[in-house]
């Protein structure tokens, strides 16, 4: 049984799309199980359907407006073409005055998910032999949960995909079934263990970070940037723990793990969505997977 696991990583998910495209189209891997966390959950439905060009078109064309109905950020381009990110003080103050729980809201993303994944596509997947799981964090019960497409109707499954991506406190906090839910990455950034426990014997894992840390965080300028740094630190720890546990479980179960890390630091703010960069990341993911597999399968000539 072969599984594909895609970690969280915001806009860096474009790189994962490119890697997955190579694995599916060039190596012809047919996965029985797909598990996505956060941005990974946005990709897995169309990857399972093998509608890769469709999800590539949707994914690389998202921007702040298609994600946020209330954005916590101001993004400007300086004269050198670099993105400058700052707090949207007006939106943030209005949220606090209204006793809201988050700095921004991502209801536009929920609409986009339903636009991208049709009822017919959902039914095709639900009735197939494949299982799709999205990772969510249940804040009320302090638990990580995996929501299978087999267990829900169309509207509910779209909700779970959306919930898996909600990176609080910058995006929506969602109440569902009497509990508060948030981004799956807060509980399981790279759910290798879950894939193996569900029977996977080979797991291809796309990790949207470099294998070794190449950056030191700049000093925090305000409470907003401090929260961002804190989240980054926490998710980095969760990711490394997930991978270590996944390797341990795989070793005991005799399962094979193939890890695909990003070869370089793609961005320091994965909540900024830039069409040009994301299109480039998708292509670089494809090329990286091609090179990695060429290196693995290259047969050296025998010495005389």
């Amino acid at each position: 049984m072969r599984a594909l696991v895609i970690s969280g990583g915001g806009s860096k998910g474009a790189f994962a799309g490119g890697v997955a495209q190579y694995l599916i189209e060039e190596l012809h891997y047919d996965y029985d199980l797909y598990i996505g966390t956060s941005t990974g959950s946005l990709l897995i439905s169309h990857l399972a359907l093998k509608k890769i060009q469709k999800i590539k078109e949707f994914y690389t064309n998202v921007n702040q407006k298609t994600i946020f109905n209330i954005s916590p950020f101001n993004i400007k381009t300086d004269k050198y073409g670099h993105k400058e990110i700052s707090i949207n003080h007006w939106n943030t103050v209005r949220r606090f005055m209204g006793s809201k729980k988050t700095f921004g809201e991502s209801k536009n993303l929920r609409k986009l998910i339903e636009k991208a994944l049709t009822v017919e596509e959902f039914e095709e997947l639900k009735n197939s032999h494949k299982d799709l799981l999205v990772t969510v964090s249940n804040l009320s019960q302090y638990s990580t949960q995996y929501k299978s497409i087999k267990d829900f109707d169309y509207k509910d499954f779209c909700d779970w995909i959306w919930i898996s991506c909600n990176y609080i406190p910058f995006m929506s906090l969602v109440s569902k079934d009497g509990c508060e839910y948030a981004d799956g990455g807060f509980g399981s950034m790279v759910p290798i263990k879950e894939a193996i426990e569900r029977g996977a014997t080979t797991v291809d894992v796309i990790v949207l970070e470099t294998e070794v840390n190449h950056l030191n965080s700049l000093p925090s300028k305000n409470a907003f940037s401090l929260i961002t740094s804190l989240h980054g630190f926490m998710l980095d720890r969760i990711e490394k723990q997930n991978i270590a546990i996944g390797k341990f479980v795989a070793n005991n179960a005799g399962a094979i793990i193939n890890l695909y890390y990003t070869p370089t630091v793609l961005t320091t703010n994965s909540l900024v969505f830039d069409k040009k960069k994301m299109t480039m990341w998708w292509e670089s993911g494809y090329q990286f997977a091609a090179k990695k597999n060429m290196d693995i399968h290259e047969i050296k000539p025998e010495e005389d």
Side-chain angles (χ1 to χ4, degrees), residues 75-90:
I75 301 173
K76 297 180 181 178
T77 304
D78 65 20
K79 62 181 180 180
Y80 302 106
H82 300 134
K83 300 288 185 183
E84 294 181 341
I85 305 160
S86 60
I87 306 168
N88 187 322
H89 291 92
W90 173 238

Side-chain angles (χ1 to χ4, degrees), residues 153-212:
D153 63 18
Y154 174 69
K155 294 283 188 181
D156 279 337
F157 192 65
C158 287
D159 279 346
W160 293 124
I161 294 173
W162 176 49
I163 288 167
S164 181
C165 301
N166 275 325
Y167 189 66
I168 59 168
F170 306 108
M171 301 172 78
S172 298
L173 177 69
V174 182
S175 294
K176 191 173 178 66
D177 300 335
C179 296
E180 289 186 331
Y181 286 93
D183 193 302
F186 294 125
S188 181
M189 193 72 168
V190 194
I192 302 168
K193 178 175 178 284
E194 186 68 19
I196 295 170
E197 289 182 344
R198 288 178 181 257
T201 52
T202 301
V203 188
D204 295 323
V205 185
I206 305 173
V207 183
L208 295 171
E209 291 289 346
T210 54
E211 188 168 5
V212 178

